[in-house]
Amino acid sequence: MSQPPPPATAAPPATAAPSATAAPQHTGGKHEHRWLILAVIAIAQLMVVLDATIVNIALPSAQRDLGFTDGNRQWIVTAYALAFGSLLLLGGRVADLVGRKGVFLAGLAGFAVASAVGGAATSFGMLVAARALQGVFGALLAPAALSLLTTTFTDPRERAKAFGIYGAVAGSGAAVGLLLGGVLTEYLDWRWCLYVNLAFAAAAMLGGARLLHPGAPDDRPKLDVPGTVLVSAGLFCIVYGFSNAETHAWSDPLTWGFLAIGGVLVTAFAWWQTRAVHPLLPLRVVLDRDRGASFLAMFISGAGMFGVFLFLTYYMQQILDYTPISTGLAFLPMVAVMVVVSVLTTNVLVPRFGAKPIVPLGMALSAVGMAWLTALQTTSGYGLHVLPPLLVAGLGLGLIFAPAMSMATAGVAAHDAGVASAMVNTSQQVGGSIGTALLNTLATTAASNYLSGRRPTPQAQAEAQMRSYETAYWWSALFFAVGFVVTVVLYRRGRPADSHMNDGAVHM
């Protein structure tokens, strides 16, 4: 998700985004409260990110309690992903139109209510509806939070520190969710994996209501209704198609059909954005090389990192017989490395060397970590075999997330901050959906191929699982290798201070 130059809103009126009217008003928090605002934003972002994995930990208990089938189980995850992934761009634009404080607080309140409904669910349908509602309000909350960060921290050095912390939270939230979900499920009840969001939301709402400034930019854009319909429907079809691939064949019309329709709709959306008077996603936001590289970096890392969190979780619980709590604790060293590296990267490395060597290096290290995990065996131990590649992967992801998030929103005019922030979240969310579907399908196929012609003894079953994990790790390594090539080619050379983004907003 670097130390980019200040966005257009940080510059004096003379250098702000061109406008016939006065310079856009500041829509972040009070200058003296900016670090408290960072804490509020980080709490909100952590709630959204950890919600994915914390619910995964609670799924087996929820299934036993509510009595739904294995075939329906995926909808607890898919309902959230469909709503969240398809509505992110709309949520970002709404933040630009209505005002980021109002949208941020509304997103928090709605997410809390949906979480309470889910925790109190008495049926499968009620839980799925609550998860979809969480996705809707998460799509409002996530881009509003990132755009608030962008407009609040305008000093380059402080912005680097802020994005380092934010990137660490965004990157490590999944692992925190594993640990928290394990504790709540084991010692309380699966419902608390949803109720806990009320505490996060309450803290963020109190801080946000007190610290944030109301209002939207003076030159706020109008809503592009055709573009909104096209991209929302297109992303819905793509996320649904890949999610459906986890339980159906790729040849199933519900898989390839939705993927094809989604591709057509997204292509039509891209064409419409070149002709719309008030485009939902102005091309000036995505066609800048550094921003485009950052969006792709978030997409690829979102797909690849599931090789760590998803399949390594299965390995530790099913092969090493770890409890949910032990599994969460096993990820903490990786989280610690990501936090330290994210802050160090944006404050020391990127200002000195620029994003071009740093993000590609993160991709390469992540690929090495994934490839290293393929050496795991049924007899492997944590200290000697699991921890080293986990630390290497954490180092790589720490070099990717914070610089990519910061560069993706640098130099964006105030009226585009929300949609640019939404593109960051959309890239990671859609990448994660695609990665999950592809890796699950490939892993399942590898396990089936191994068992073909063999007696399904416990030893054979365990070896089949190991083959499936190995396949997922190799493909994750391939994702990051592609990310290495893409970021090497696209990122500009030189430090952020030398970038054209210093001039303010990028225009077509």
Side-chain angles (χ1 to χ4, degrees), residues 357-376:
I358 302 304
V359 177
L361 176 60
M363 292 287 184
L365 287 172
S366 297
V368 170
M370 294 295 100
W372 195 345
L373 286 172
T374 63
L376 293 178

Side-chain angles (χ1 to χ4, degrees), residues 23-48:
Q25 62 179 321
H26 179 63
T27 56
K30 294 181 179 179
H31 185 271
E32 64 272 19
H33 292 150
R34 59 197 179 280
W35 295 108
L36 292 176
I37 291 173
L38 173 61
V40 169
I41 294 171
I43 291 172
Q45 177 66 14
L46 179 62
M47 179 184 71
V48 172

Side-chain angles (χ1 to χ4, degrees), residues 401-493:
F401 280 119
M405 283 185 172
S406 184
M407 296 291 283
T409 55
V412 178
H415 53 270
D416 291 331
V419 73
S421 302
M423 267 300 295
V424 176
N425 290 281
T426 300
S427 299
Q428 187 177 20
Q429 176 66 26
V430 175
S433 297
I434 292 174
T436 301
L438 286 175
L439 294 178
N440 266 327
T441 302
L442 293 166
T444 302
T445 301
S448 299
N449 290 340
Y450 180 83
L451 288 174
S452 179
R454 289 183 171 88
R455 293 180 57 189
T457 63
Q459 182 178 358
Q461 295 280 3
E463 288 297 332
Q465 284 182 309
M466 293 306 302
R467 292 296 179 91
S468 70
Y469 303 152
E470 180 182 347
T471 300
Y473 298 146
W474 276 124
W475 278 92
S476 291
L478 177 61
F479 292 164
F480 284 112
V482 171
F484 170 79
V485 175
V486 168
T487 52
V488 163
V489 171
L490 289 184
Y491 272 120
R492 294 185 179 89
R493 294 182 180 274

Side-chain angles (χ1 to χ4, degrees), residues 66-444:
L66 300 180
F68 52 87
T69 65
D70 289 343
N72 285 332
R73 183 174 56 190
Q74 66 153 334
W75 287 104
I76 306 301
V77 176
T78 303
Y80 178 87
L82 286 173
F84 187 67
S86 60
L87 295 177
L88 272 167
L89 283 176
L90 175 60
R93 207 40 144 185
V94 169
D96 292 332
L97 289 166
V98 177
R100 291 169 198 112
K101 176 179 180 178
V103 172
F104 180 76
L105 295 178
L108 284 169
F111 202 95
V113 170
S115 299
V117 172
T122 56
S123 66
F124 170 73
M126 184 175 176
L127 182 56
V128 169
R131 290 287 290 158
L133 197 60
Q134 278 185 314
V136 171
F137 285 103
L140 289 175
L141 177 59
L146 184 54
S147 58
L148 280 169
L149 187 68
T150 300
T151 54
T152 296
F153 286 88
T154 55
D155 177 79
R157 293 184 180 180
E158 291 188 345
R159 192 174 193 269
K161 294 178 182 178
F163 269 91
I165 296 170
Y166 183 87
V169 169
S172 61
V176 175
L178 290 172
L179 176 59
L180 185 58
V183 171
L184 294 173
T185 302
E186 189 162 328
Y187 291 110
L188 293 174
D189 185 77
W190 69 267
R191 298 180 184 276
W192 283 96
C193 291
L194 291 162
Y195 288 145
V196 71
N197 290 330
L198 299 177
F200 286 107
M205 286 183 69
L206 288 173
R210 172 68 179 84
L211 299 171
L212 297 175
H213 282 176
D218 292 331
D219 56 345
R220 58 188 181 184
K222 296 180 180 179
L223 183 62
D224 173 19
V225 176
T228 299
V229 173
L230 285 171
V231 75
S232 297
L235 290 175
F236 178 93
C237 291
I238 289 173
V239 173
Y240 180 84
F242 277 108
S243 298
N244 196 65
E246 296 181 52
T247 53
H248 297 75
W250 289 97
S251 58
D252 191 308
L254 290 179
T255 300
W256 66 262
F258 272 93
L259 291 175
I261 294 172
V264 170
L265 290 175
V266 170
T267 301
F269 167 74
W271 170 83
W272 173 253
Q273 296 309 280
T274 65
R275 288 158 175 77
V277 177
H278 302 285
L280 177 68
L281 180 62
L283 294 186
R284 60 180 174 268
V285 173
V286 295
L287 292 185
D288 174 78
R289 279 181 58 182
D290 287 331
R291 267 199 293 277
S294 298
F295 293 142
L296 288 173
M298 295 302 299
F299 175 84
I300 293 169
S301 59
M305 70 183 293
F306 277 89
V308 178
F309 292 128
L310 183 61
F311 293 96
L312 196 55
T313 297
Y314 288 154
Y315 170 75
M316 286 190 283
Q317 292 193 16
Q318 296 179 354
I319 302 299
L320 301 184
D321 292 325
Y322 281 20
T323 65
I325 294 178
S326 298
T327 302
L329 289 172
F331 280 105
L332 287 187
M334 176 186 179
V335 173
V337 169
M338 288 179 63
V339 171
V340 172
V341 171
S342 293
V343 176
L344 178 67
T345 297
T346 51
N347 285 279
V348 178
L349 299 180
V350 173
R352 180 174 298 180
F353 302 108
K356 190 176 183 72
I358 302 304
V359 177
L361 176 60
M363 292 287 184
L365 287 172
S366 297
V368 170
M370 294 295 100
W372 195 345
L373 286 172
T374 63
L376 293 178
Q377 304 293 328
T378 56
T379 57
S380 297
Y382 177 77
L384 291 178
H385 306 104
V386 177
L387 183 60
L390 204 58
L391 294 177
V392 172
L395 175 60
L397 292 172
L399 292 172
I400 296 171
F401 280 119
M405 283 185 172
S406 184
M407 296 291 283
T409 55
V412 178
H415 53 270
D416 291 331
V419 73
S421 302
M423 267 300 295
V424 176
N425 290 281
T426 300
S427 299
Q428 187 177 20
Q429 176 66 26
V430 175
S433 297
I434 292 174
T436 301
L438 286 175
L439 294 178
N440 266 327
T441 302
L442 293 166
T444 302

